[in-house]
Amino acid sequence: MSILDWIFIGLFSFAILFFLFSILLLFSLFSTKKKIRFLSGIRKKNKRKRIKLKRERRKLEGVYKRQLINVIVLFVLAVVCGGGSFYSRYYQANSLSERDSDAIVQGYYLIDQIDLQLKDAENNDNKTKIANNIKELSGRLSSYGNRLANQRLTVEGQGILNKQFKIMMELGINLAAQQEDFLKNPEKMSEFNEDLEKAKLQQKKVFEHFNINEAALKKKN
């Protein structure tokens, strides 16, 4: 389990405990209040007994105030811990795991490099070297067929990410299967440029959904 999983379990457990303790103290609070009302209803003619009765009532009132403060504190702690636990789960459901994040960064780099190689092929006579570079990059891209988005993500997030993995895999497989002379074929080049644009478009959807800073990725490249 990840750190966020442990945080969720810990905070949720504390929330339940604090809530149960607040409920137990609430019953004690009602019991103390009942005793105070009972003592307030007693009338004693004897002065000494009246003083003693008053002292007991004041003592119970002090207990009542402390119990009330404890109930409020425990309830607030339960709400804070409960809110924290649900926020950690919400964060998990809407943020990329380290594995998925690495996959997206690596995929961004591979798509960018393939794009540069295809553009370079238009004005470079050394087609063999470029073809080999593209095959190496596309071979790594095709491995994305084995990936699935983290199941803790929302259904929408999983769908967007899995679609990106599928597009990258298909692009990688198609490029890796080509003969070296495909770089001299304008139709093939046009087809792969369209596939690259499709991958970039889906990539932008991933960036927007998960709030990924594309400018920061460009700087790393």
Side-chain angles (χ1 to χ4, degrees), residues 187-201:
E187 289 184 8
K188 285 286 185 183
M189 291 290 285
S190 176
E191 181 184 327
F192 286 125
N193 280 320
E194 286 179 8
D195 289 342
L196 269 174
E197 288 305 313
K198 184 180 176 183
K200 288 179 182 179
L201 182 63

Side-chain angles (χ1 to χ4, degrees), residues 13-32:
S13 299
F14 278 120
I16 292 172
L17 285 173
F18 287 140
F19 181 73
L20 289 175
F21 282 135
S22 69
I23 293 299
L24 288 172
L25 265 177
L26 194 61
F27 282 117
S28 298
L29 186 72
F30 289 142
S31 177
T32 304

Side-chain angles (χ1 to χ4, degrees), residues 1-192:
M1 287 193 294
S2 66
I3 293 173
L4 283 174
D5 287 324
W6 286 112
I7 290 173
F8 171 77
I9 292 169
L11 287 175
F12 190 69
S13 299
F14 278 120
I16 292 172
L17 285 173
F18 287 140
F19 181 73
L20 289 175
F21 282 135
S22 69
I23 293 299
L24 288 172
L25 265 177
L26 194 61
F27 282 117
S28 298
L29 186 72
F30 289 142
S31 177
T32 304
K33 184 68 175 177
K34 191 176 179 181
K35 289 177 183 177
I36 292 170
R37 285 177 179 173
F38 175 74
L39 291 177
S40 298
I42 297 175
R43 296 287 181 267
K44 295 286 186 181
K45 293 181 180 180
N46 189 293
K47 187 178 179 181
R48 220 179 257 180
K49 288 183 178 180
R50 283 203 310 270
I51 293 171
K52 185 180 178 182
L53 193 65
K54 193 174 182 180
R55 193 181 296 122
E56 286 180 11
R57 192 175 65 212
R58 283 180 179 175
K59 186 179 178 181
L60 281 174
E61 285 172 350
V63 172
Y64 177 83
K65 286 180 181 179
R66 286 194 298 273
Q67 287 177 335
L68 181 61
I69 291 169
N70 288 335
V71 166
I72 293 170
V73 169
L74 286 171
F75 184 75
V76 169
L77 286 173
V79 170
V80 170
C81 289
S85 67
F86 284 108
Y87 177 77
S88 69
R89 184 59 77 199
Y90 172 83
Y91 181 83
Q92 273 189 313
N94 292 278
S95 301
L96 292 174
S97 65
E98 186 177 351
R99 182 176 180 273
D100 288 341
S101 180
D102 289 343
I104 289 300
V105 171
Q106 179 86 5
Y108 179 84
Y109 166 77
L110 292 172
I111 289 172
D112 186 59
Q113 289 301 307
I114 289 172
D115 190 25
L116 289 173
Q117 292 293 322
L118 288 174
K119 287 176 180 176
D120 191 33
E122 296 174 4
N123 303 309
N124 195 317
D125 294 331
N126 194 350
K127 307 289 187 188
T128 302
K129 182 180 178 182
I130 293 174
N132 288 335
N133 289 341
I134 290 174
K135 279 187 179 292
E136 181 188 345
L137 293 166
S138 58
R140 291 160 67 184
L141 204 60
S142 63
S143 67
Y144 280 84
N146 299 321
R147 289 183 180 273
L148 284 174
N150 192 320
Q151 292 184 345
R152 291 186 180 87
L153 292 172
T154 61
V155 174
E156 183 185 5
Q158 288 183 54
I160 290 172
L161 203 54
N162 286 331
K163 187 175 180 180
Q164 175 66 3
F165 290 157
K166 184 181 178 182
I167 288 173
M168 290 194 295
M169 175 201 70
E170 290 173 350
L171 177 63
I173 289 173
N174 290 339
L175 279 170
Q178 298 303 309
Q179 299 297 323
E180 183 182 315
D181 60 356
F182 86 93
L183 293 172
K184 299 176 184 178
N185 187 327
E187 289 184 8
K188 285 286 185 183
M189 291 290 285
S190 176
E191 181 184 327
F192 286 125

